[in-house]
Amino acid sequence: MTKEWWEADDEVTLITRPRRFGKTLTMSMLEKFFSVEYAGRSDLFEGLDIWKEEKYRKLQGTYPVIFISLAPVKWVDMIL
């Protein structure tokens, strides 16, 4: 998924899926892949398809990432 998303070169990506469908897990994975805080953590990706290509090994850990999850926010709290 990471490779396909990156190669699409979209300006904006909106990820909408039903509850409990892995949105936060997917975003967490992307954070770990791109974030400079995880630079050099090849152990997280070795053995995965994305790690087989040199250009993605060089890309890992090269961006500052801001990760915001609204998972803990409850709709009822927003209405009140």
Side-chain angles (χ1 to χ4, degrees):
M1 180 261 165
T2 304
K3 180 181 173 184
E4 292 171 6
W5 172 74
W6 185 258
E7 290 179 356
D9 199 27
D10 296 328
E11 212 169 294
V12 174
T13 301
L14 176 63
I15 299 175
T16 59
R17 304 303 289 168
R19 287 185 70 230
R20 315 283 305 162
F21 208 85
K23 296 178 296 292
T24 303
L25 178 63
T26 300
M27 297 307 294
S28 179
M29 176 204 53
L30 290 172
E31 175 198 17
K32 303 297 187 278
F33 187 79
F34 289 106
S35 178
V36 293
E37 291 184 33
Y38 294 90
R41 290 293 312 272
S42 62
D43 59 304
L44 297 173
F45 304 98
E46 289 174 353
L48 302 179
D49 284 344
I50 196 161
W51 207 248
K52 294 177 184 175
E53 295 187 42
E54 178 68 24
K55 71 178 186 178
Y56 290 103
R57 289 195 299 268
K58 289 181 180 179
L59 186 61
Q60 193 272 324
T62 58
Y63 286 91
V65 174
I66 298 172
F67 179 73
I68 300 172
S69 173
L70 298 178
V73 177
K74 303 293 182 215
W75 180 252
V76 175
D77 293 339
M78 294 173 62
I79 294 173
L80 302 175

